[in-house]
């Protein structure tokens, strides 16, 4: 287990908002993430909500714009926000915003030059939870996961692959089927291989079609989102959940776009929704 470096900590909303750095065995790089810990009784263990960010983002986007702290303090929920990809001078990159640094897609890459560092699936599913469990007062038997856009894709697929681990899953504007959109075809084809069968483990709709199940799901999607029809394709998730009998509250929010103005509007509702399920 690597040592944890404190980058910064601030008192906020009756808790502590911190940013931390460590050396990752999964990615072979330094990784930075943020954690909000509400005030709590000495020795108490709190439920944890993971937030996975979207394309071009780091931990900082939701930490600075997500407006989750008041709700997390009210409900006693720890909030963890990882980065979206490995970083560093030796990490390969691409000129486009939707591939390379900032666009890890929460996969374990198998193709060169990406395979050495782009192991975000292993980092999020195994390494980071173990690290957070060691250094923060989290109850790893009470985990929820959410995310935005590419991070919504990550939240859905990670939860579907690990249904016993997560008591709750939600998403904001998720990429629901990378198999059927340009962002996903570029990322999965580049990180994995041209073999589309290898992509199915990273496609929420395909995972559901292949038998993966979660008990319940909350999704908010803005109708004014410029990416709705070409990249996000929320209707495919609605169809997959209906066919599989998954209880899904998929809310089309009139006029909202893809930005953090949208996310921050509904963040407190998502935190409350997760808290109710994590308290059981």
């Amino acid at each position: 287990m690597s040592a944890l470096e404190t980058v910064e900590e601030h008192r906020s909303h009756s808790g502590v908002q911190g940013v931390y750095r460590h050396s990752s065995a999964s990615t072979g790089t330094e990784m930075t993430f943020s954690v909000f810990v509400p005030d709590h009784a000495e020795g108490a263990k709190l439920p944890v909500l993971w937030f996975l960010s979207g394309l071009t983002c780091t931990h900082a986007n939701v930490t600075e714009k997500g407006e989750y702290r008041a709700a997390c303090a009210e409900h006693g929920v720890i909030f963890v926000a990882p980065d979206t990809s490995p970083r560093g001078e030796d990490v390969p990159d691409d000129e486009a915003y939707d591939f390379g640094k900032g666009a890890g897609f929460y996969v374990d890459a198998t193709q060169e030059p990406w395979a050495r560092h782009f192991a975000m699936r292993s980092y999020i599913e195994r390494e980071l939870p173990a690290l957070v469990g060691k250094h923060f007062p989290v109850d790893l038997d009470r985990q929820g996961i959410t995310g935005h856009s590419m991070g919504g894709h990550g939240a859905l697929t990670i939860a579907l692959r690990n249904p016993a681990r997560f008591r709750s899953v939600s998403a904001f504007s998720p990429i629901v089927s990378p198999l059927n959109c340009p962002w996903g075809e570029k990322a999965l084809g580049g990180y994995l291989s041209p073999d589309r069968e290898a992509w199915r483990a990273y496609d929420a709709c395909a995972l559901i079609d292949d038998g993966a199940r979660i008990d319940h799901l909350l999704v908010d999607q803005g109708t004014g989102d410029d990416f709705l029809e070409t990249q996000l394709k929320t209707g495919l998730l609605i169809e997959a959940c209906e066919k599989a009998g998954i209880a899904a509250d998929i809310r089309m929010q009139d006029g909202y776009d893809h930005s953090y103005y949208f996310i921050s509007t509904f963040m407190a509702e998502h935190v409350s929704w997760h808290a109710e399920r994590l308290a059981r």
Side-chain angles (χ1 to χ4, degrees), residues 223-237:
T223 63
D225 191 323
D226 290 340
F227 302 113
L228 175 57
E229 299 299 326
T230 58
Q231 304 282 10
L232 308 178
K233 301 191 175 183
T234 310
L236 295 178
L237 182 63

Side-chain angles (χ1 to χ4, degrees), residues 172-235:
F172 300 87
S173 312
I175 303 169
V176 306
S177 184
L179 278 156
N180 293 290
C181 75
W183 279 342
E185 290 178 350
K186 179 177 181 178
L188 299 187
Y191 292 137
L192 302 178
S193 75
D195 179 11
R196 294 173 69 90
E197 282 300 307
W199 303 4
R200 295 185 70 84
Y202 298 106
D203 183 299
C205 293
L207 284 165
I208 292 170
D209 288 345
D210 291 344
R213 295 292 182 267
I214 50 178
D215 291 336
H216 39 243
L217 173 64
L218 172 65
V219 171
D220 276 315
Q221 171 63 58
T223 63
D225 191 323
D226 290 340
F227 302 113
L228 175 57
E229 299 299 326
T230 58
Q231 304 282 10
L232 308 178
K233 301 191 175 183
T234 310

